[in-house]
Amino acid sequence: MSRPGPRRRSVIIAILLTALALVSLEVRSGVVGAIGGGVREAFGLVSSGVSFIIRPVTGTIQGLTDARKLKAEIEELRTENERLSKEIRENAQLVREAKELRELRAVRESAESVEVAVARVVLASPNSLERVVTIDRGSSDGVKVGHAVLSPEGLAGIVEEVSPGTAIVRLITDNSSAVGVRVTRSGETGILKGTGRADGLLKLELVAPQAVDKGQVSSGDVLVTAGFTGGLYPPGIPVGQVITVDEGKRGGDANVFVRPAAGLSRLEFVSVVRPGSSERTARAEESE
Amino acid sequence: MRQWVVLAVTIVLALAISAEMALGLSVLRVGPDLALIVVALVAGSQAPEQAAGTGFAAGLLRDLLSASPAGTGAAAFALVAMGISIAGPRPGLGGYLTTVGAATLAVTFLHAVFAAVGGDTTSVSAVLRVALVGAAYNALLTPLLVPLLRRLSLAPEAV
């Protein structure tokens, strides 16, 4: 293999130096960040045209895969039904689940958040190493870095960057995502982290790991945002449900995996919220 | 000049379609990277410096649409495009598939390394999954893009 000539060596050095300069230019807050905002807004327009053509195609393909999923889901539901029937006979699980649902409804209603904007997801990152999307609302709509982003089912992510007309949202499934959560049944708290796993599950790191041994966290438990003081997320937003608790590693090292409540692979419309008393709730209380 | 404009429009459209496909058509949470396919196929018929420039521009645009530090993807794209150019064109479907597959693996690993240097780490298993699934996905889409790129005179004709 021949060694690169001086011209090629200088091209390689120029590439690396330019990249380094861009990275060290405080990429998002300075000039590069402003350019990025402009590019995303322009791409939002291109994307509208592209999605007009592509979405029917992707929708059809998704529909085909969904049909297979539905069949599998029917089978799963059948099994689940048998299991639940058995549990109803044993009269325990259903009572607990009903209580949990009531609690979830209560915390959802009491989620202390103010809606900043309703936005449409216009782009997903072409880089599969990260889980981020671009929404069509930005700083001119009141969206700020750190605002929480909700899907109709629950927490989707957090605003990472804003430009006047767009914002980048880091989804809770992203590797670097971390959300303070609370188990509705037991009140146990922990940090829910993105894992980058193919199945999209999140990992729960409990503040008190022994809670697993004490039965304070188990499969089926529902998690909501904890709303820690100084935290970014308003309290009481549904985040996910515990799917598996690694039985083999109990005693401090339990692996607790959680399925996000939000359907993050089919995000279309989202709500951007910030912590605070809901004006709507306040108005409703006043009128009562 | 016309060729550069055609190439720029093709890359922009490829990025927009990739972003759209990443929303609804990801496989194991990995979307296709049509811009990388275009860069990899075009680089074979460009001089190394031109290929590096094309790769850098496409990678930078991709960085600006994502949350990763601008410049990390650009450097990865530029080095890989330059490598493809130095290696020379590999016409024929087998050659295209190999080029795109290898380019996807190389870009994913390089991008992960550059991002890690910038403090944005990803688990090794996630990088491996994205690299392998991405390479297969991109290779699968390559036969669909080659005729289009040939029609636009962006990819070399098969020998």
Side-chain angles (χ1 to χ4, degrees), chain B residues 21-122:
Chain B
M21 289 177 81
L23 269 177
L25 287 180
S26 59
V27 176
L28 294 174
R29 299 188 181 260
V30 178
D33 195 338
L34 303 185
L36 176 57
I37 301 176
V38 173
V39 168
L41 294 177
V42 170
S45 54
Q46 287 181 317
E49 295 79 7
Q50 283 180 331
T54 306
F56 196 87
L60 185 59
L61 211 50
R62 184 177 177 265
D63 284 342
L64 293 175
L65 294 178
S66 63
S68 53
T72 51
F77 264 58
L79 292 177
V80 169
M82 195 171 170
I84 292 170
S85 171
I86 291 168
R90 283 176 164 56
L93 188 58
Y96 290 139
L97 295 181
T98 312
T99 304
V100 169
T104 310
L105 292 174
V107 161
T108 309
F109 290 129
L110 277 175
H111 195 174
V113 169
F114 292 149
V117 171
D120 202 356
T121 53
T122 309

Side-chain angles (χ1 to χ4, degrees), chain A residues 6-190:
Chain A
R7 190 178 160 87
R8 284 178 190 167
R9 262 202 302 273
S10 51
V11 171
I12 292 171
I13 290 167
I15 289 168
L16 293 174
L17 285 179
T18 313
L20 195 65
L22 282 168
V23 173
S24 59
L25 246 176
E26 190 48 55
V27 283
R28 302 300 177 185
S29 57
V31 183
V32 182
I35 294 170
V39 167
R40 284 194 298 278
E41 278 169 40
F43 255 85
L45 295 174
V46 176
S47 175
S48 303
V50 167
S51 63
F52 181 76
I53 300 163
I54 298 283
R55 284 223 173 152
V57 180
T58 56
T60 307
I61 296 171
Q62 267 186 317
L64 291 172
T65 52
D66 283 352
R68 276 207 305 273
K69 276 184 196 163
L70 281 174
K71 207 172 172 185
E73 259 177 45
I74 288 169
E75 276 308 309
E76 263 178 42
L77 286 171
R78 205 167 276 161
T79 316
E80 181 76 359
N81 190 26
E82 284 165 15
R83 190 181 69 79
L84 282 175
S85 301
K86 192 182 169 195
E87 284 185 10
I88 288 168
R89 282 196 298 276
E90 290 168 3
N91 194 20
Q93 183 73 4
L94 196 64
V95 174
R96 190 178 69 81
E97 283 184 0
K99 183 170 173 274
E100 218 169 74
L101 283 170
R102 273 199 303 275
E103 283 170 352
L104 174 60
R105 195 175 162 193
V107 287
R108 196 169 189 167
E109 282 171 356
S110 67
E112 291 167 15
S113 62
V114 177
E115 188 170 85
V116 176
V118 174
R120 184 173 170 267
V121 174
V122 289
L123 291 167
S125 171
N127 177 9
S128 297
L129 288 172
E130 59 185 23
R131 309 297 302 168
V132 299
V133 295
T134 300
I135 58 174
D136 65 352
R137 292 284 181 271
S139 54
S140 55
D141 305 288
V143 177
K144 288 181 183 167
V145 171
H147 280 168
V149 177
L150 314 183
S151 81
E153 300 92 5
L155 185 69
I158 193 160
V159 175
E160 172 125 336
E161 292 172 33
V162 287
S163 64
T166 62
I168 287 187
V169 178
R170 191 174 288 279
L171 301 179
I172 55 173
T173 45
D174 187 85
N175 257 320
S176 57
S177 161
V179 184
V181 292
R182 186 164 55 80
V183 179
T184 54
R185 181 174 60 87
S186 61
E188 286 298 325
T189 54

